[in-house]
């Protein structure tokens, strides 16, 4: 075996390494086994390069100063996808390897001549060498790799069309892949605007997609949107189409309108929506059906994103039944809308109706009528016609109407014949045409004033209340005056200017030319003015006046005669309605009988004759009749013609004798010398009223004394005076009327009068005291019924000693002061004070206590205590005179 020198060995190793690096000497998949070298310029990364581009990858391996001298051979090796790169196969090249001994490093580059799918991959480098003539090995670990990728143009996927409902949230998605990851954008269809997030939309992007969200999407948002994906490999575009469904909207419809009858009608309805709406018509809520006179036509138009539908209704020769409400309905899968059209068919007006209330004169007739239904076309004129019904077969003639006939709805026919029948009719005109004529209205003109009656006479009848009138129709009465229907009488008493009284008498006999009538109910013996007239049912003729005088008769009886008892002996006689027979009454006779006596045993007795007033209506009161007696009365009249018939009988029962009612005493309120007596009346209200009350009093020893009180409505009391004091008094009462006193007094009521003593002094007050004197003020009431005239005093010394002497003070005023003198010093006194008058002293006294030294002390007495708090001054001024009394102690 040949032995190689050291130099030869080194060259051989280089050749082997070169061969290995070129891929000629095999390849190794072994992983580095040591990390003596560190890769300092090769970091983990990804490089994307365009297709067929040139890329270089640097690699530097570094060690320390200890390891580096032991390396006998060193180079950089490159791996792709874990396989050693064979540079001989092309596509790659390795740059010059440089050693940097000062830094103990080696540097090299890998060049990728044309990046494509075959040359790209995951690349790594390592330091490879030989230590101390050992074996060739990797000296660094594969800590880092670099990925080289080929750029790929973007690819966009997703829907090409999306559909949303109006008002919802619409989202358009753009999904794109590519190397590197492409950037995404949304553009408008015309590429004029790049879309950005706004208040009505948003953009959201994740790793490979970009969504465009439109809130409350509107139909105007419909259209094409372009998604753009771009990277270094290029730009890719894809269009996505947005369709927005929205409810149908009726955009145009015919207006409500008035349509003349028998003309043509065209209704149009247009609606828009997506999807395209279907348009139909309803009439009175029912589907419109096709008939001979009706044509339905439909059309559709519009853009891709909003379609319009048309529907037309054409009706030939419109009838009244074609009026009403038409409804256009636009509907689709997403909703519907309705709109209405009101069609009012105009026709000729209805026939007017003539009113019965017409103004009929002798030669003119005014007629009026109610406004007819003009069927939505105002009336512009009326046509009025008249026809003569009495004078041959005349035709209808037009009546001239005023310009205001539409407003007044009346017309007047002139130059008519009096008392002639006419027929009227009227029709109305509007823009469509004339109505039918109204039903005819027959009217008759008034006649002329009738002629004056002839041969008028008046004859008074024996009854005295009736006049017979005779008359004759004049020969010149003709039909223009109408028919002679009645005789009219206007009468009044000639001597008075009273209002004329009208009396009408119908003429029942046809074609009567003369006759008589009776005017009744007249006053007897009176001259009347009577006007006689003819009447044709419309007018009175000129009068013919006669002045007859009615006859006289004997007087009649009273139409009412009554008798009413006023008391047991007085009666009231009332009569009315006596007929004096047309001449003054000369006598009235009032007669009576007793009912309890048979008629054959008595005759009528006259109560009065010449004393009665000669009046036809009167009331008279008469007396002196017997009490408790039944009478029958009659009233007889007489005048110059003779005696009249008596009145009907009037029966009456006089009541028993009317004593005053019983009275009882209700209450007595006595004083010393007076008493107020109250009483009440017993029983029902008497027929004869009470005139006075008699109150009587007496004592056990005195005679009775009476006092009379006039009866006053509502008052039942009285005051008696002069009674004895302190005495038992007996009081009774009875009533009086116009016939006398009651039979009995009431039961006695007993009371006792008072003494008439004065009251106890009102006040007793010690004003001040010294060792031997005191001032005492007093008050009394002088306004009481029996006032005090004197005050009586006595003093009581403490210990029971009492004065036996009463001291008097005359009272001339309501108050005064007593000055006491000569009192014992340092002594306690009590002063007793009585009030006194002519009837005696008061039943009690007033007491006042005081001391003659120091402050006086006041204590209560009967019946009033004196308060020591009142003793605040020693001097009192009174308006009255002061009375002073010197009282000496004995």
């Amino acid at each position: 075996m040949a032995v190689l020198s050291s130099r030869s060995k080194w060259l051989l190793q280089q050749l082997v390494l070169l061969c290995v690096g070129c891929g000629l000497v095999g390849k190794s998949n072994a992983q580095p086994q040591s990390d003596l070298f560190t890769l300092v310029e090769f970091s983990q990364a990804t490089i994307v390069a365009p297709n067929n581009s040139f890329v270089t990858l640097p690699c530097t391996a570094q060690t320390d100063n200890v390891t580096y001298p032991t390396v006998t051979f060193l180079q950089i090796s490159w791996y792709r996808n874990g396989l050693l790169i064979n540079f001989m196969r092309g596509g790659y090249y390795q740059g010059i390897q440089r050693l940097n001994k000062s830094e103990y490093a080696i540097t090299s580059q890998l060049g990728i001549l044309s990046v494509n799918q075959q040359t790209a991959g995951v690349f790594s480098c390592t330091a490879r060498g030989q230590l101390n003539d050992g074996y060739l090995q990797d000296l660094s670990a594969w800590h880092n790799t670099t990925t080289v990728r080929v750029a790929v143009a973007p690819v966009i996927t997703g829907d090409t069309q999306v559909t949303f409902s109006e008002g919802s949230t619409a989202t358009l998605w753009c999904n794109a892949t590519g190397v590197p990851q492409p950037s995404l954008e949304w553009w408008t269809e015309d590429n004029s605007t790049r879309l950005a997030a706004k208040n009505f939309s948003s953009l959201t992007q994740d790793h490979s997609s970009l969504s465009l969200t439109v809130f409350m999407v509107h139909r105007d948002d419909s259209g094409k949107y372009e998604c753009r994906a771009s990277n270094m490999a290029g730009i890719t575009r894809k269009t996505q189409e947005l369709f927005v469904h929205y409810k149908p909207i009726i955009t145009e419809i015919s207006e409500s309108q008035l349509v003349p009858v028998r003309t043509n009608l065209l209704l149009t309805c247009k609606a828009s929506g997506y999807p395209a709406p279907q348009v139909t018509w309803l009439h009175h809520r029912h589907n419109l059906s096709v008939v001979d006179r009706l044509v339905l036509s439909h059309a559709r138009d519009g853009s891709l994103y909003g379609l319009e539908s048309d529907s037309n209704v054409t009706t030939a020769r419109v009838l009244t039944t074609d009026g009403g409400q038409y409804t256009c309905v636009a509907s689709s899968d997403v909703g519907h809308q309705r709109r209405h059209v009101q069609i009012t068919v105009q026709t000729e007006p209805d026939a007017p109706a003539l009113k019965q209330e017409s103004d009929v004169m002798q030669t003119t007739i005014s007629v009026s009528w109610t406004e007819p239904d003009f069927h939505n076309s105002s009336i512009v004129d009326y046509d009025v016609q008249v026809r003569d019904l009495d004078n041959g077969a005349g035709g209808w003639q037009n009546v001239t109407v005023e310009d205001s006939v539409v407003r007044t709805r009346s017309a007047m026919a002139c130059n008519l014949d009096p008392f002639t029948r006419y027929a009227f009719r009227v029709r109305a005109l509007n823009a469509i045409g004339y109505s039918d004529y109204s039903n005819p209205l027959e009217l008759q003109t008034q006649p002329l004033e009738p002629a004056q009656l002839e041969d008028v006479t008046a004859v008074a009848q024996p009854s005295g209340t009736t006049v017979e009138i005779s008359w004759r129709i004049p020969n010149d009465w003709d039909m223009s005056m109408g028919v002679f229907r009645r005789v009219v009488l206007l009468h009044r008493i000639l001597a008075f200017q009273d209002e004329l009284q009208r009396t009408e008498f119908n003429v029942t006999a046809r074609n009567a030319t003369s006759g008589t009538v009776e005017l009744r109910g007249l006053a007897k013996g009176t001259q009347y003015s009577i006007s006689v007239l003819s009447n044709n049912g419309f007018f009175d003729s000129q009068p013919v006046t006669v002045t007859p005088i009615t006859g006289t008769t004997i007087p009649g009886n009273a139409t009412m005669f009554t008798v009413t008892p006023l008391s047991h002996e007085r009666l009231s006689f009332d009569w009315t309605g006596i007929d004096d027979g047309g001449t003054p009454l000369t006598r009235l006779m009032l007669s009576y009988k007793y009912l309890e006596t048979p008629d054959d045993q008595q005759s009528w007795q006259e109560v009065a004759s010449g004393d009665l007033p000669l009046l036809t209506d009167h009331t008279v009161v008469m007396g002196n009749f017997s009490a408790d007696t039944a009478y029958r009365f009659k009233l007889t009249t007489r005048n110059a013609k003779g005696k009249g018939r008596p009145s009907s009988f009037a029966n009456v029962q006089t009541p028993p004798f009317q004593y005053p009612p019983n009275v009882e005493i209700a209450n007595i309120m006595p004083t010393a010398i007076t008493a107020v007596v109250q009483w009440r009346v017993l029983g029902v209200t008497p027929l004869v009223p009470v005139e006075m009350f008699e109150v009587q009093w007496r004592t056990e020893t005195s005679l009775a004394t009476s006092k009379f009180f006039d009866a006053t409505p509502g008052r039942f009391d009285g005051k008696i005076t002069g009674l004895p004091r302190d005495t038992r008094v007996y009081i009774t009462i009875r009533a009086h009327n116009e016939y006398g006193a009651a039979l009995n007094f009431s039961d006695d009521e007993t009371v006792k009068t008072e003494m008439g003593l004065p009251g106890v002094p009102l006040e007793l007050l010690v004003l001040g005291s010294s060792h031997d004197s005191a001032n005492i003020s007093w008050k009394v009431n002088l306004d009481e019924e029996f006032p005090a005239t004197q005050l009586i005093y006595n003093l009581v010394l403490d210990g029971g000693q009492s004065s036996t002497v009463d001291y008097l003070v005359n009272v001339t005023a309501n108050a005064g002061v007593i000055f006491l003198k000569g009192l014992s010093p340092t002594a306690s006194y009590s002063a007793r004070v009585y009030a006194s008058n002519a009837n005696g002293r008061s039943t009690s006294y007033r007491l006042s206590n005081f001391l003659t030294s120091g402050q006086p002390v006041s204590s209560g007495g009967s019946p009033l205590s004196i308060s020591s708090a009142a003793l605040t001054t020693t001097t009192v001024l009174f308006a009255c005179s002061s009375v002073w009394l010197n009282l000496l102690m004995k």
Side-chain angles (χ1 to χ4, degrees), residues 524-525 552-560 575-590 609-618 635-647:
K524 298 176 182 179
T552 59
T553 63
I554 61 173
N557 60 359
T559 58
M560 186 183 72
W575 63 85
T576 59
I578 294 179
D579 178 11
D580 61 4
T583 185
L585 296 173
T586 59
R587 188 178 183 190
L588 288 177
M589 294 168 286
L590 185 63
S609 55
D611 295 336
L612 294 178
L614 301 178
L615 299 174
T616 58
D617 302 286
H618 194 62
L635 183 66
T636 307
T637 58
R638 180 181 290 278
N639 66 6
K641 286 284 188 177
K643 182 179 180 180
R645 292 181 291 111
S647 67

Side-chain angles (χ1 to χ4, degrees), residues 280-307:
T280 57
W281 285 93
L282 303 178
H283 185 213
H284 295 307
R285 300 184 180 181
H286 298 288
N287 288 328
L288 198 61
S289 58
V290 178
V291 295
D292 293 340
R293 300 179 296 102
L294 186 143
V295 178
L296 291 173
S297 60
H298 301 280
R300 181 172 295 177
D301 193 7
S303 65
L304 180 62
Y305 305 107
L307 301 179

